[in-house]
Amino acid sequence: MVGMSGPYLIRGSVALPEAELLWRFSRSSGPGGQHVNTSDSQVELRFDLAGTEALPEVWKARALERLAGRLVDGVVSVRSSEHRSQWRNREAAAVRLAALLAEATAPPPKQRRPTRIPRGINERRLREKKQRSETKRGRTGRDWA
């Protein structure tokens, strides 16, 4: 892959290993001129997630669990056909795969620690509610003669 814009970082210093990327090219669908019938500009990029050694074991397990619905025999695939040139579609597919793996290997968010509302704030809220209630009750026309 001479000319590609370099290693696609997943996170930190971990990058997509170019040797483990499987590329497949086919004709894009949709409108076009005579050129569209002869050029294989659609790109399908496949990456063997289950068999890779490039990812740390923890990341790999996390990604396999999160991407279970997208995997076919442990392989994740990404397609790109939005550009007219094969080279730009290759770039888009590689960036999309790196982003997908970055999201799938991200650590789970920290658990929220439940906090209590301070008593003073709650008392003030109830006091203001009572004042508002008195104001509204004072508007009734009972005492007017």
Side-chain angles (χ1 to χ4, degrees):
M1 268 186 294
V2 180
M4 292 295 280
S5 67
Y8 296 96
L9 291 178
I10 296 172
R11 208 169 56 251
S13 62
V14 179
L16 279 175
E18 304 231 354
E20 294 183 26
L21 299 179
L22 299 166
W23 299 92
R24 217 171 83 200
F25 309 102
S26 59
R27 293 192 185 119
S28 288
S29 61
Q34 289 103 347
H35 175 70
V36 80
N37 300 323
T38 59
S39 63
D40 293 340
S41 60
Q42 178 174 289
V43 173
E44 184 181 354
L45 174 59
R46 298 163 61 88
F47 178 66
D48 186 6
L49 186 58
T52 187
E53 297 294 321
L55 296 176
E57 282 303 315
V58 179
W59 287 19
K60 191 156 84 168
R62 204 180 287 154
L64 284 169
E65 182 185 326
R66 289 183 183 166
L67 296 175
R70 281 191 72 148
L71 297 178
V72 178
D73 298 329
V75 177
V76 64
S77 69
V78 173
R79 242 189 208 140
S80 176
S81 62
E82 61 261 17
H83 301 292
R84 286 180 63 176
S85 82
Q86 186 190 94
W87 190 84
R88 286 180 66 190
N89 281 330
R90 288 172 73 152
E91 287 283 309
V95 167
R96 201 175 295 159
L97 179 63
L100 181 71
L101 289 175
E103 191 178 318
T105 58
K110 283 187 178 174
Q111 220 171 7
R112 182 185 172 276
R113 219 176 75 213
T115 56
R116 286 184 52 210
I117 298 171
R119 204 171 88 209
I121 289 178
N122 212 17
E123 286 174 356
R124 185 178 75 206
R125 181 181 64 85
L126 292 173
R127 194 170 52 246
E128 287 172 358
K129 253 179 106 155
K130 197 161 282 191
Q131 280 178 344
R132 186 81 180 137
S133 152
E134 290 295 324
T135 304
K136 288 189 171 188
R137 195 156 8 130
R139 291 180 185 158
T140 58
R142 281 180 300 160
D143 298 338
W144 293 14

